[in-house]
Amino acid sequence: MSESITIPAHIEAGAIRLDAPLPADIERVEVLGYRADRKDRSALGDLISFLEALPAGTRTKEDIDRQIDEERSSWR
């Protein structure tokens, strides 16, 4: 029985580029590709546009850290 491993990769200029080296004992490689769904791309673009249109926040880092500390204190 053969074992499969997953190695992250990306497509660059039409070529597959591995994001990590292959282990030395690999004898054979098969590539499985996933086609991007056009609807997903459109929804993601809509979400990004929405987020970019939101006004900038006014809370300081200290205020956010204080709220997190208060919440963590309530767990005890």
Side-chain angles (χ1 to χ4, degrees):
M1 176 161 65
S2 64
E3 174 189 359
S4 67
I5 62 170
T6 300
I7 297 176
H10 63 280
I11 298 173
E12 183 179 306
I16 296 171
R17 304 288 184 198
L18 300 179
D19 297 333
L22 283 172
D25 60 344
I26 294 294
E27 296 176 359
R28 192 180 84 173
V29 175
E30 293 180 17
V31 176
L32 176 62
Y34 298 95
R35 186 175 304 213
D37 185 356
R38 297 282 181 211
K39 276 199 290 188
D40 289 346
R41 284 186 180 177
S42 175
L44 179 60
D46 291 346
L47 175 60
I48 291 171
S49 296
F50 170 75
L51 293 174
E52 288 175 340
L54 291 174
T58 58
R59 294 179 63 193
T60 65
K61 178 188 179 312
E62 290 76 19
D63 182 36
I64 295 168
D65 287 343
R66 186 173 35 259
Q67 182 181 3
I68 291 171
D69 289 341
E70 288 172 6
E71 182 62 30
R72 285 184 179 152
S73 295
S74 72
W75 298 345
R76 296 180 191 138

